[in-house]
Amino acid sequence: MGFSAYDPEGFYDEMFEAPGEPRPGAQVLVEKINLLGTDLLRERQHAAERTLFEMGITFNVYGDNAGTERIFPFDIIPRIVRAGEWERIEKGLKQRIFALNKFIDDVYHDGAILRDGVIPEHVIKSASSFRSQCIGLNPRRGVWCHITGTDLVRDRDGTVYVLEDNLRCPSGVSYVLENRDVMKQTFPLVFEALLVRPVVDYPMRLLDMLISLVPEGVARPKVVVLTPGIYNSAYFEHSFLAQQMGVELVEGRDLLVKDGYVVMRTTKGFERVDVIYRRIDDDFLDPMAFRPDSMLGVPGILDVYKAGRVALANAPGTGVADDKVIYAYVPKIIKYYLNEDPIIPNVPTFVCWDDKERDHVLANLDKLVVKAANESGGYGMLVGPHASAEDRAKFADLIKANPRNYIAQPTLSLSRVPTIVDDHFEGRHVDLRPYILYGEDIYVLPGGLTRVALKKGSLVVNSSQGGGSKDTWVVEEQ
């Protein structure tokens, strides 16, 4: 198995500029793989899969009756990003996250951006993730979103776009860390030769960021990770991050509000909790403030948060900037707060609440990708060119019934990365989810999670829809 017969087939390929011509930064890896031969390469792929299986790298699929957990598919051919290109991406992500935090703080306070007509007020107030209970909240330093996963894609001409902003409970960073461990065992010499930027310190950076949120006057803060429990699709990640940070993994039933503080039940009695990295959506966080039928959260926790006696990451209400309709306005948000143009552009987006744009969408469903405003994981989505006439008609009805809930975008020709298929390589479409931490300052983890659509021709990279992952190497220029 080698790259001699590999053909990018006209797509933007992350590893090859043209057949037989590796991109700068990928030459050493290509030479090494060509030297391995088919048997040895397949052996390393199988060894990596065995290692991930033994490590229990799993995720859950809701509604799957075959079992509660699956192994996350992994391909050992990494995605290469040159350091020079990464620095521009990093700068663009910092710009975007800074502006989005200013936006969230404004929306829940003065609402200047609404008053100035940059975004229609009805778009905000009709967002299912807008929380009136959060009006007037004051997270420390005015930072609402402390952990973000931003989805990036590259089109056929090489342009990198932001596809989605995930500001509620973005998952996947545990796979970044575990994939890297496996790849160090698979290609140890190549790692040294390429000077791949490390990701191993992410858990400690996450912990430092969480500690930076501690209410004033707390000398030895108690940090916990709050999970919905073992049936959540990302439970592996919750337990992994808690273990890596050396903090407690708790469920809502482990916590309660007592004497104005959040405390944890322990074998030695109650212990005060100061910072909660919550992996529970707003709806389920506090049955006294949000959904009263929630059995997952902690009654009264929002009042403790308002009193400044516990820190929550991310802050309640952050999801308003996660709405896919709000995404369409992010370039205007950046311009409004920073007076700058976006460094990383949005994918052109049509909002269906607008009559003219909706008419265009309905007339071009066979060319567009349609998304529901608050769905994730590849659900609630129509890929027009690949959809049946019946499915397009169904989505047309959905859009007409609730136009505020839908956006549409042109179908991009996503970039590809060589992927092992039986005894040869084939290109598969990918996206990239970098992870950003925002405490005292903004930190972007080098690389991120490359998600790959393992089915030939598919553009859906989500793990719940048959996608897998690759390691992402940010390599220094040489």
Side-chain angles (χ1 to χ4, degrees):
M1 191 186 306
F3 290 111
S4 58
Y6 178 72
D7 185 357
E9 299 179 300
F11 292 97
Y12 188 100
D13 194 279
E14 300 286 347
M15 188 173 289
F16 288 91
E17 290 183 328
E21 296 180 23
R23 294 188 180 279
Q27 182 73 40
V28 172
L29 178 65
V30 169
E31 291 174 356
K32 180 67 177 177
I33 290 174
N34 280 336
L35 288 172
L36 283 178
T38 301
D39 290 344
L40 193 51
L41 191 61
R42 291 181 67 177
E43 182 181 311
R44 293 194 181 188
Q45 173 68 36
H46 293 153
E49 290 170 352
R50 281 197 304 274
T51 301
L52 292 169
F53 181 80
E54 290 165 0
M55 293 163 73
I57 313 301
T58 62
F59 68 101
N60 295 356
V61 178
Y62 297 125
D64 180 4
N65 296 324
T68 58
E69 293 184 325
R70 291 182 182 179
I71 301 299
F72 194 23
F74 176 68
D75 184 86
I76 62 171
I77 307 303
R79 178 200 198 130
I80 304 289
V81 182
R82 287 182 295 119
E85 179 177 32
W86 177 254
E87 283 162 11
R88 177 180 170 277
I89 291 173
E90 182 181 39
K91 189 176 178 182
L93 291 171
K94 287 182 176 179
Q95 177 199 50
R96 193 174 184 95
I97 298 308
F98 186 70
L100 282 171
N101 271 280
K102 283 193 166 296
F103 164 71
I104 300 168
D105 198 56
D106 187 16
V107 163
Y108 287 115
H109 287 91
D110 296 336
I113 196 169
L114 311 182
R115 197 168 55 247
D116 291 341
V118 177
I119 301 177
E121 185 170 357
H122 72 85
V123 170
I124 300 296
K125 298 297 173 65
S126 63
S128 63
S129 50
F130 175 77
R131 299 284 179 271
S132 59
Q133 302 91 330
C134 297
I135 293 174
L137 289 185
N138 290 300
R140 193 166 187 187
R141 304 184 192 91
V143 177
W144 291 67
C145 187
H146 311 96
I147 302 110
T148 307
T150 304
D151 292 345
L152 307 177
V153 293
R154 192 198 299 274
D155 199 6
R156 186 184 293 270
D157 66 357
T159 303
V160 173
Y161 294 93
V162 174
L163 183 66
E164 289 184 10
D165 300 291
N166 299 284
L167 296 99
R168 285 180 283 192
C169 302
S171 60
V173 74
S174 58
Y175 303 123
V176 176
L177 304 178
E178 296 288 43
N179 288 351
R180 179 59 56 87
D181 274 354
V182 170
M183 290 297 283
K184 282 183 176 178
Q185 300 170 35
T186 305
F187 297 112
L189 299 179
V190 180
F191 255 87
E192 294 177 10
L194 285 180
L195 300 176
V196 180
R197 290 192 183 179
V199 298
V200 68
D201 60 346
Y202 178 84
M204 289 303 101
R205 287 182 179 273
L206 175 61
L207 181 59
D208 288 345
M209 184 278 292
L210 293 170
I211 290 175
S212 78
L213 309 180
V214 168
E216 292 183 6
V218 178
R220 300 182 63 184
K222 185 72 175 181
V223 179
V224 300
V225 176
L226 175 60
T227 175
I230 62 171
Y231 295 107
N232 184 268
S233 62
Y235 180 74
F236 162 77
E237 176 158 300
H238 306 164
S239 58
F240 175 85
L241 290 176
Q243 185 270 333
Q244 291 290 304
M245 290 191 289
V247 305
E248 306 282 350
L249 177 69
V250 300
E251 298 183 24
R253 60 190 175 183
D254 299 317
L255 304 177
L256 73 153
V257 172
K258 186 174 187 297
D259 299 329
Y261 292 90
V262 176
V263 297
M264 175 173 61
R265 293 183 173 90
T266 76
T267 55
K268 298 178 182 178
F270 295 121
E271 184 176 355
R272 177 177 162 178
V273 172
D274 304 294
V275 185
I276 300 174
Y277 177 22
R278 52 106 177 187
R279 298 295 296 256
I280 292 179
D281 200 55
D282 287 349
D283 279 341
F284 304 100
L285 183 61
D286 182 349
M288 294 175 66
F290 303 111
R291 280 184 55 162
D293 60 340
S294 172
M295 302 292 287
L296 301 175
V298 184
I301 193 173
L302 187 64
D303 285 339
V304 182
Y305 179 73
K306 287 179 177 177
R309 292 172 177 167
V310 70
L312 294 171
N314 292 331
T318 304
V320 69
D322 195 307
D323 186 302
K324 292 181 176 61
V325 179
I326 305 301
Y327 158 90
Y329 294 90
V330 174
K332 291 182 178 179
I333 289 172
I334 292 172
K335 190 71 174 179
Y336 182 77
Y337 293 110
L338 309 182
N339 195 28
E340 299 173 0
D341 293 322
I343 295 172
I344 310 175
N346 267 23
V347 177
T349 302
F350 303 99
V351 290
C352 293
W353 69 262
D354 181 279
D355 293 345
K356 186 176 178 182
E357 295 189 21
R358 181 174 65 253
D359 289 344
H360 175 81
V361 170
L362 292 173
N364 293 278
L365 280 176
D366 60 332
K367 304 179 185 70
L368 299 171
V369 175
V370 179
K371 298 177 182 177
N374 287 286
E375 295 282 356
S376 61
Y379 297 105
M381 187 170 81
L382 175 84
V383 182
H386 298 173
S388 65
E390 182 181 0
D391 284 340
R392 289 198 291 271
K394 175 186 170 186
F395 264 77
D397 290 341
L398 290 171
I399 291 169
K400 292 173 186 173
N402 186 7
R404 162 61 178 81
N405 195 45
Y406 290 93
I407 65 164
Q409 298 168 327
T411 307
L412 301 184
S413 179
L414 302 186
S415 65
R416 306 199 314 184
V417 176
T419 301
I420 297 175
V421 179
D422 299 327
D423 60 353
H424 62 286
F425 295 111
E426 292 183 9
R428 291 291 186 269
H429 296 293
V430 294
D431 77 353
L432 177 62
R433 176 176 289 183
Y435 295 88
I436 304 104
L437 302 177
Y438 192 179
E440 293 179 347
D441 52 22
I442 302 176
Y443 166 76
V444 183
L445 181 70
L449 181 66
T450 289
R451 300 184 300 177
V452 53
L454 293 174
K455 184 179 177 182
K456 188 172 185 177
S458 174
L459 298 173
V460 182
V461 299
N462 307 81
S463 56
S464 56
Q465 306 288 317
S469 72
K470 288 173 170 285
D471 196 10
T472 310
W473 293 1
V474 176
V475 299
E476 302 296 339
E477 311 279 355
Q478 295 184 9

